[in-house]
Amino acid sequence: RKEVEQDPGPFNVPEGATVAFNCTYSNSASQSFFWYRQDCRKEPKLLMSVYSSGNEDGRFTAQLNRASQYISLLIRDSKLSDSATYLCVVNPEGGGSYIPTFGRGTSLIVHP
Amino acid sequence: SAVISQKPSRDICQRGTSLTIQCQVDSQVTMMFWYRQQPGQSLTLIATANQGSEATYESGFVIDKFPISRPNLTFSTLTVSNMSPEDSSIYLCSVYRGTYTEAFFGQGTRLTVV
C-alpha cells in the first residue's frame, strides 16, 4: 500500500461547482498535513495547511480525519483558474523518516 | 519561508552528455531533496542531499547516474550523467525545515534529451 494515496482524476467540473478531493495516508503517527497546488509546468506551491480542527480559506476548506487517516479538500464555487493538480502532502512524525511524502496528485479541470 | 533559485530553468541536451543543475537557497536549511517529475506523473524522490557527506539515494537511483553535491547548507547540485531520452523530465530541488513546516520548491529544470 502506498503511503499517501489520491485519486488522480481528472475531475472535470463546470464553473461554480463544488468539488472535493480525498487523500488517505498509511502512517498513523503522521503529524502534519498540507495541500499543494501545481500548475502545468510549474513547481508545487503550498495551498493550505490542514489542522486537526479543520480550516477554511475563502472557497477552500481542508479537513483531517485522524481516525480514518484521510484528509480532504473542498473547493466551492469553482473558478476556471482553479484548474490545476492538487497534491496531498503528509509530514512524518519526526522520529524515523523525515521526508515529506507526496501523493501523486489529483487533476482538476474547471470548464466554462 | 525559503526562496530557492534553481537553474537552468530548461535545457535541451544531446544523449550521452551530462547536465548539472544548481539549487541556491536564501537561508540555511538542513534538509534538501531532489525530485524528478515526468510528464503527467507525480513527484519521485531521487535523493536527500546531505551537507558534508554522500547523498542518500532512493531505490532505483544511483550515485553514478545522479551525483549530488552539498558543500554547505544553502547550496546543492544534481548532475544527470550520460543522459538518454528517458531522462527527459522536470527536476526539482526542495527544502524542508521540519515536521510542522511546509516544503519549498525551486522553479524546476525542464530537461529534454535528444
Side-chain angles (χ1 to χ4, degrees):
Chain A
R1 179 185 173 189
K2 292 185 179 178
E3 293 183 55
V4 178
E5 294 201 56
Q6 290 182 255
D7 181 346
F11 286 65
N12 200 323
V13 304
E15 270 187 296
T18 295
V19 61
F21 310 136
N22 279 344
C23 167
T24 59
Y25 60 95
S26 60
N27 185 349
S28 60
S30 298
Q31 292 295 324
S32 54
F33 311 87
F34 303 88
W35 283 102
Y36 280 69
R37 170 185 171 137
Q38 186 174 24
D39 292 292
C40 185
R41 305 172 74 82
K42 299 281 189 181
E43 74 275 21
K45 292 184 179 178
L46 180 68
L47 175 66
M48 60 195 308
S49 304
V50 187
Y51 304 125
S52 296
S53 56
N55 51 306
E56 186 173 314
D57 182 3
R59 298 182 293 109
F60 299 84
T61 301
Q63 297 278 354
L64 167 64
N65 185 318
R66 284 192 183 273
S68 301
Q69 293 181 209
Y70 76 83
I71 66 174
S72 64
L73 177 68
L74 180 78
I75 305 175
R76 291 180 297 277
D77 188 23
S78 299
K79 310 292 184 190
L80 295 177
S81 57
D82 293 333
S83 299
T85 297
Y86 293 83
L87 300 166
C88 164
V89 181
V90 176
N91 281 1
E93 75 280 8
S97 171
Y98 49 85
I99 302 173
T101 304
F102 287 80
R104 62 175 297 178
T106 299
S107 295
L108 171 65
I109 302 170
V110 181
H111 60 82
Chain B
S1 67
V3 177
I4 304 173
S5 174
Q6 183 176 342
K7 55 184 180 182
S9 58
R10 62 179 67 239
D11 210 338
I12 301 173
C13 301
Q14 297 288 329
R15 67 180 68 199
T17 62
S18 298
L19 175 71
T20 295
I21 303 168
Q22 298 181 359
C23 185
Q24 178 74 54
V25 190
D26 67 339
S27 57
Q28 293 186 340
V29 288
T30 304
M31 288 173 278
M32 185 179 288
F33 308 103
W34 286 98
Y35 291 87
R36 181 171 74 183
Q37 187 173 35
Q38 294 178 312
Q41 302 297 314
S42 60
L43 294 166
T44 300
L45 181 64
I46 297 172
T48 302
N50 301 309
Q51 191 266 328
S53 64
E54 191 172 287
T56 304
Y57 290 85
E58 297 298 305
S59 176
F61 298 96
V62 295
I63 188 171
D64 289 346
K65 176 67 175 177
F66 297 101
I68 288 171
S69 77
R70 180 93 190 269
N72 55 54
L73 292 176
T74 63
F75 186 78
S76 179
T77 67
L78 168 75
T79 299
V80 186
S81 302
N82 188 25
M83 289 183 285
S84 66
E86 292 72 34
D87 295 321
S88 297
S89 188
I90 297 174
Y91 292 84
L92 293 148
C93 68
S94 176
V95 301
Y96 174 61
R97 296 188 188 279
T99 299
Y100 295 98
T101 65
E102 66 185 278
F104 295 90
F105 289 86
Q107 301 91 332
T109 297
R110 289 157 189 77
L111 171 63
T112 302
V113 183
V114 297

